[in-house]
Amino acid sequence: MSSILVVGVFGTDGKLSTTAQTIFTSKFQDNKFLKNNSWVGTDRSVELSLLNVDDVFETSFTLRNTIEKIVFVGVAQKEKKPTENSSVFELSSQYSQQAVADRHEFVTLNQSIRNQVTTLVESIKKDKKDEKFVIYFDDFNGHSQAVAEGAALATWKFDLDFDKFLAPIFGRDGLLLNSFKALPSATENDQKQFKTGIITGSSQLFSRYILELPANYCTPIKYCDLLKLKIEKYSLFVSQEFLSAKSKINVYDEEWAKSKGMGSFLSVTAGTSAPARVLEVVYTNNSQKKADEYDLAILGKGITFDSGGISLKPGEGMKEMKGDCGGSSAAFGAAVAALELELPLNIITVAMLCENMPGPDATKPGDVVIAMNGKTIEVDNTDAEGRLILADGLCYLSEKQPEVLLDMATLTGAVIIALSHVTAAVYTNSHELFAGLEKASYQTNDYLWRMPIFRDEYLGQMKSDVSDYNNIGGRPGGSCTAATFLSEFVDFSKVKKWAHLDIAAVTHTKAGYTGRPTRAIVEYMQQLSK
Ligand SMILES: [Zn+2]
């Protein structure tokens, strides 16, 4: 089995990372190889096959006799690491030019490392084909998490068969577990960051996988099977004991939803023969709280295929609507990561899973449905179905009285018009919650940007003659009206902090499905756990 060493090189003069400086002999560091390469920018990597071990490695370097190849990776010019209180994380309302510049630099460096490592690992994989190999990674001056994320993201290989997709990545003999390693000489903190990066990177991959699956391979029932398989058989790093003690998967059927009064949710699934499900993952690992007291509840939109229903979408591009479950896939990706990281939190994650189809029993434009909180909704357009399923989900999770309630959905096309594919939109009643999400978003390069809720004004666009609300509010501010509608189904006497993330623009970009903003949510969870 071959071993490869990946080392970070910074700046124009080929400066090795601090850790790498202790590995290589000064004779090697002084030679013209490093000095003669221009390392500025973010697209340079150079391979070096070993000549004489004694010329290259210090005798104290543990792996000196097993490394067969070294790859030097040039990353952005400057190394910058913001502290907790640095201006990098000032709120968006308090921008200074310096804060923007600092933030840009930090973001650029992490992103640069992640992209470089992804490209590198992809090419090694291609080169090695089925041959086994181990890659040891330098810490890139304290950026081990970004390094590991880049490596994890490179393991992507789609397969229609759940097991065949999951096993090579997450299985005991998988690529991820056995092939990527931090240097044995890395600090304890860097080892920990590396492990975190493997988890967060692979959680994004899992989210993306759900989106890529064709709708006939990812019906609500099959979706539940996939999540069970991932958690029960392919959770990274955690023991079976931990899993069975701390996590529980509940799958609820339509009868259960009916008994809860989820008329809004059930109206969406009426036009399909594929049974709907409500999928719930309960994770309890906060010893300071009772099992039913939640630090965080996350709700995800899980439309496994959206034809638009009777308000049918145009045929062109409709196949992309297999990915209308991006809110739920990001939610579960993050939930799985919380478990794998053993975060000391209690988290309940729920997805409303169904198809939106125009079958004989489908909801018709003008029909009125009743949500779990008794509010009536006129379904003016059956293609605005995401808010209908989330309305009941928000009522359901409000009853759990979580400290923070997040919902995520590929909700509107309007958000793409507003923000392009750069950032997801956040709507929230809490400055504090937004500050946390914003910080998490910058740390992960997975952007979240705050948008407004003006209740009376936006609801004014959603008036109905026959019910409390119309489910659409016209073209102006389409993402804002949808968010305001959702806020009507959060019980603010039970939930103090709520945020809705409209993620349609980032889940699916020109490059394809992304699995965003999974890493940002995991980062937010890590903040919560501190
Ligand atoms: Zn729709």
Side-chain angles (χ1 to χ4, degrees):
M1 184 156 49
S2 56
S3 301
I4 299 159
L5 172 64
V6 174
V7 176
V9 184
F10 294 83
T12 48
D13 53 353
K15 196 166 187 242
L16 291 170
S17 75
T18 315
T19 307
Q21 285 172 32
T22 67
I23 296 171
F24 294 106
T25 60
S26 53
K27 187 176 161 194
F28 176 78
Q29 288 181 55
D30 285 340
N31 82 9
K32 58 183 191 298
F33 166 73
L34 287 171
K35 296 271 155 51
N36 285 359
N37 275 289
S38 172
W39 298 97
V40 182
T42 60
D43 59 349
R44 188 156 183 88
S45 73
V46 173
E47 285 185 25
L48 183 73
S49 293
L50 280 187
L51 302 168
N52 183 352
V53 171
D54 288 327
D55 289 341
V56 178
F57 291 129
E58 292 287 353
T59 47
S60 57
F61 179 51
T62 22
L63 299 167
R64 68 196 294 270
N65 291 318
T66 58
I67 299 290
E68 288 167 21
K69 191 182 269 186
I70 314 169
V71 186
F72 292 95
V73 179
V75 292
Q77 200 169 354
K78 282 187 191 164
E79 205 282 333
K80 184 146 198 149
K81 211 171 176 207
T83 62
E84 196 72 5
N85 299 319
S86 86
S87 58
V88 173
F89 297 121
E90 279 183 22
L91 289 179
S92 49
S93 56
Q94 300 164 340
Y95 277 147
S96 68
Q97 259 184 345
Q98 190 53 48
V100 173
D102 287 355
R103 187 192 309 236
H104 180 72
E105 214 161 285
F106 176 69
V107 163
T108 310
L109 184 57
N110 259 344
Q111 186 72 338
S112 160
I113 292 171
R114 204 179 289 117
N115 289 345
Q116 285 283 69
V117 171
T118 301
T119 312
L120 176 68
V121 172
E122 276 170 352
S123 76
I124 293 174
K125 259 174 64 188
K126 215 162 143 191
D127 191 41
K128 295 288 177 192
K129 293 202 175 71
D130 296 327
E131 197 189 325
K132 291 223 167 187
F133 59 89
V134 176
I135 309 178
Y136 290 95
F137 291 95
D138 169 35
D139 66 3
F140 284 62
N141 282 345
H143 291 262
S144 289
Q145 185 175 336
V147 171
E149 282 169 352
L153 287 167
T155 61
W156 173 263
K157 190 168 182 276
F158 180 77
D159 200 297
L160 280 173
D161 185 296
F162 301 165
D163 224 50
K164 282 186 183 150
F165 170 75
L166 293 167
I169 300 173
F170 300 96
R172 294 279 165 223
D173 301 320
L175 190 64
L176 264 173
L177 275 177
N178 296 326
S179 301
F180 303 147
K181 297 186 191 303
L183 283 172
S185 56
T187 63
E188 202 176 311
N189 184 49
D190 276 316
Q191 298 278 4
K192 199 172 154 226
Q193 291 302 321
F194 191 84
K195 182 178 159 187
T196 300
I198 293 289
I199 291 171
T200 55
S202 65
S203 70
Q204 182 175 344
L205 278 189
F206 179 64
S207 300
R208 177 181 162 195
Y209 180 60
I210 294 173
L211 301 168
E212 299 271 5
L213 279 170
N216 58 334
Y217 282 78
C218 192
T219 62
I221 287 175
K222 288 176 184 169
Y223 189 129
C224 297
D225 293 342
L226 170 61
L227 190 79
K228 276 187 179 168
L229 185 70
K230 170 71 180 82
I231 291 180
E232 289 167 3
K233 192 172 167 193
Y234 293 112
S235 284
L236 289 174
F237 303 116
V238 291
S239 66
Q240 280 303 324
E241 293 72 37
F242 181 85
L243 271 181
S244 44
K246 308 286 184 177
S247 71
K248 193 167 187 302
I249 303 169
N250 300 314
V251 180
Y252 303 115
D253 62 11
E254 290 178 21
E255 279 306 310
W256 175 89
K258 210 169 168 183
S259 74
K260 290 279 175 189
M262 295 180 167
S264 186
F265 169 54
L266 290 169
S267 77
V268 177
T269 196
T272 177
S273 56
R277 290 290 183 266
V278 176
L279 176 56
E280 177 176 278
V281 176
V282 180
Y283 169 66
T284 44
N285 193 31
N286 185 345
S287 55
Q288 313 292 316
K289 281 189 157 69
K290 290 183 195 153
D292 61 349
E293 292 175 347
Y294 299 104
D295 298 283
L296 177 64
I298 311 185
L299 174 68
K301 172 182 172 183
I303 296 289
T304 58
F305 188 76
D306 182 16
S307 70
I310 297 295
S311 312
L312 198 65
K313 289 177 186 290
E316 196 187 344
M318 196 200 273
K319 71 171 188 176
E320 290 171 7
M321 287 298 118
K322 68 180 184 179
D324 206 12
C325 47
S328 64
S329 72
F332 286 132
V336 168
L339 189 154
E340 292 171 342
L341 290 165
E342 300 189 25
L343 296 182
L345 295 171
N346 289 353
I347 303 172
I348 180 168
T349 310
V350 168
M352 316 299 285
L353 302 174
C354 69
E355 290 182 343
N356 183 24
M357 297 289 281
D361 296 325
T363 296
K364 302 165 289 297
D367 284 0
V368 172
V369 300
I370 306 173
M372 194 175 153
N373 63 354
K375 295 278 171 70
T376 54
I377 307 158
E378 181 182 5
V379 184
D380 197 348
N381 187 320
T382 63
D383 195 12
E385 82 296 335
R387 62 200 72 182
L388 296 176
I389 67 172
L390 291 174
D392 281 333
L394 288 168
C395 294
Y396 173 66
L397 282 176
S398 289
E399 289 187 349
K400 306 286 181 189
Q401 306 195 20
E403 284 178 19
V404 175
L405 172 57
L406 297 182
D407 76 73
M408 291 194 279
T410 48
L411 203 63
T412 68
V415 77
I416 306 171
I417 305 298
L419 301 171
S420 186
H421 295 285
V422 177
T423 175
V426 180
Y427 299 83
T428 178
N429 66 330
S430 163
H431 292 304
E432 193 193 334
L433 173 52
F434 180 69
L437 289 169
E438 187 189 33
K439 182 175 163 184
S441 90
Y442 280 111
Q443 280 181 321
T444 51
N445 308 91
D446 204 347
Y447 304 136
L448 304 171
W449 193 256
R450 192 168 186 182
M451 297 277 277
I453 292 179
F454 293 103
R455 183 173 183 269
D456 293 346
E457 288 81 352
Y458 288 137
L459 282 185
Q461 290 179 223
M462 308 185 88
K463 286 212 167 94
S464 164
D465 294 333
V466 292
S467 61
D468 295 322
Y469 311 102
N470 187 315
N471 79 326
I472 52 169
R475 282 172 64 84
S479 178
C480 305
T481 50
T484 310
F485 174 87
L486 290 180
S487 72
E488 295 293 294
F489 298 88
V490 179
D491 184 343
F492 288 103
S493 71
K494 294 175 176 154
V495 177
K496 295 288 170 262
K497 293 183 222 163
W498 161 75
H500 156 64
L501 277 61
D502 190 344
I503 62 169
V506 298
T507 299
H508 192 228
T509 68
K510 287 204 171 70
Y513 298 104
T514 61
R516 284 168 68 190
T518 306
R519 285 186 300 105
I521 302 304
V522 181
E523 180 65 32
Y524 175 70
M525 288 170 164
Q526 287 183 288
Q527 278 178 34
L528 270 189
S529 69
K530 278 173 191 155

